[in-house]
Amino acid sequence: MSAPTTREDLRPWQQALREEFPIVTGHPELAYLDSAATAQKPQAVLDAVQTYLTSSNANAARGTYTWANRTTELVERTRERVARFLGDSRPERSAVHFTSGTTEGLRIVARDWLPGFLRDGDEIVVPDADHQANITPWLEARESLAREGVHVRVVPMPYQNGSGDYDHRALAERAGPRTRFVATTHVHHVYGGDMNVQRIREAVGPDAVICLDAAQSVGHLPVSVAELDVDFVVFSGHKALALPGSGAVWARQARGPAFVPGGWSGTPNTVGIASLEAALDWLDAAGVGRIERWTAGLAARLTEGLRRLDAYEILGCPLSLAADSDVQRRQGIVTLRHRAIDSGDLGFILFSHGFMVRSDHHCQGDAGEKTGSVRVSLHVYNTDEEIDRMLSALASLQ
């Protein structure tokens, strides 16, 4: 069967997948538009959790009986599943460590790996207009090293004015031979733009370590570590259709010391790992590339409609708003403000019309937006009809 070529071709596929989300089909009067905060779960993931808990729930790597062995096999199998899902061409060399999510994963890299990699006088690049989870751990690592007499310079990631995109040319000018580590984001959680990570590598050279916050990309669009040439990929399972409290750090194990989380390894979140394996299987079967096309199309539909409403400001690169933009790919995140209505009030108003969105500062760093906004974030269960209904509700507030 040939791949769909238009959004209209994708419609039957999307309608069938939407039916696999019980919470979505069970509440047809509501439109869930907050998938950047957490995604809903397909029936296959719910079934996998139920099956695990009722057939082989046990601790991993501690017992020799059947249920314990099955759980140990599940954990190891899912490590391999994560590497394969990320397009790892050398899984025998890389490592996968399970975490409670992106925030913990980034903290583990900052706490247990980064100090052993840096030396006095080294530089790290920190994206201080991205999510706080990708800012605070690196600053904490710097302070911890300073207490030991190792002084590391923080280089703020440069941004293009008004767009939220990285300024790769300015980064190339700021980076030098002591730039050892770069924290970066794959898809921005406020502006919705693909941050062009490949150009980060070009800017900082072949030796710097790059840690990628992939919270808004894994499960939303294809992620290939072979193509991105990054050293760490950190993501949350709950944003990729798995249960809350699940996530992973993938480490290339090529630049710098081997990634080995410190401390005693306690009981893993085995049910979360079971849900993550099922979620990755479901995403592969559905086609992550198709999911990206569907959600990007919804975002373009929303931004095209908002451009006709003078009362609203859309955050992010203005040249990426059009559906046919070749400047930048906007993923399934659109963030907006009403020029007269407070974002918190707008969020309440939208919920009164049946739309669940996020309305606040979105945990952005100090160099980010100073005024709150409303974020609409999409997944495969969202529809054109929901976007059109939301645009009608927004138009009534002109």
Side-chain angles (χ1 to χ4, degrees), residues 30 312 336 338 340-359 374 389-390 392-398:
L30 298 174
Y312 296 93
L336 60 115
H338 193 287
I341 301 175
D342 175 79
S343 62
D345 293 338
L346 182 58
F348 281 117
I349 293 169
L350 286 172
F351 182 64
S352 72
H353 288 271
F355 302 102
M356 292 179 279
V357 298
R358 179 163 174 177
S359 53
V374 167
R389 286 195 289 114
M390 184 177 186
S392 295
L394 293 170
S396 70
L397 304 174
Q398 276 274 74

Side-chain angles (χ1 to χ4, degrees), residues 235-249:
F235 70 94
S236 298
H238 73 98
K239 298 179 191 290
L241 310 183
L243 291 186
S246 62
V249 175

Side-chain angles (χ1 to χ4, degrees), residues 302-383:
L302 177 56
T303 52
E304 288 287 338
L306 286 168
R307 291 175 73 184
R308 296 190 288 269
L309 302 177
D310 294 338
Y312 296 93
E313 170 194 4
I314 307 171
L315 278 59
C317 176
L319 298 178
S320 70
L321 302 183
D324 59 352
S325 170
D326 60 0
V327 176
Q328 177 201 46
R329 293 181 299 166
R330 180 187 291 277
Q331 301 301 327
I333 296 174
V334 180
T335 305
L336 60 115
R337 292 193 190 101
H338 193 287
R339 301 187 191 281
I341 301 175
D342 175 79
S343 62
D345 293 338
L346 182 58
F348 281 117
I349 293 169
L350 286 172
F351 182 64
S352 72
H353 288 271
F355 302 102
M356 292 179 279
V357 298
R358 179 163 174 177
S359 53
D360 57 17
H361 288 80
H362 317 296
C363 303
Q364 198 171 4
D366 292 341
E369 302 289 333
K370 306 304 181 187
T371 305
S373 54
V374 167
R375 184 180 69 187
V376 178
S377 51
L378 307 154
H379 217 300
V380 69
Y381 35 75
N382 294 121
T383 65

Side-chain angles (χ1 to χ4, degrees), residues 248-263:
V249 175
W250 171 90
R252 185 180 295 277
Q253 309 286 57
R255 300 177 180 93
F259 171 67
V260 180

Side-chain angles (χ1 to χ4, degrees), residues 4 14 58 126 172 183 359 362 388:
Q14 187 274 335
V126 176
S359 53
H362 317 296
D388 293 344

Side-chain angles (χ1 to χ4, degrees), residues 255-317:
R255 300 177 180 93
F259 171 67
V260 180
W264 177 256
S265 179
T267 299
N269 178 6
T270 53
V271 68
I273 292 170
S275 76
L276 182 59
E277 179 187 43
L280 299 183
D281 287 345
W282 190 94
L283 287 163
D284 263 347
V288 184
R290 292 184 178 186
I291 292 173
E292 178 191 18
R293 289 178 56 198
W294 182 259
T295 57
L298 292 176
R301 190 182 190 97
L302 177 56
T303 52
E304 288 287 338
L306 286 168
R307 291 175 73 184
R308 296 190 288 269
L309 302 177
D310 294 338
Y312 296 93
E313 170 194 4
I314 307 171
L315 278 59
C317 176

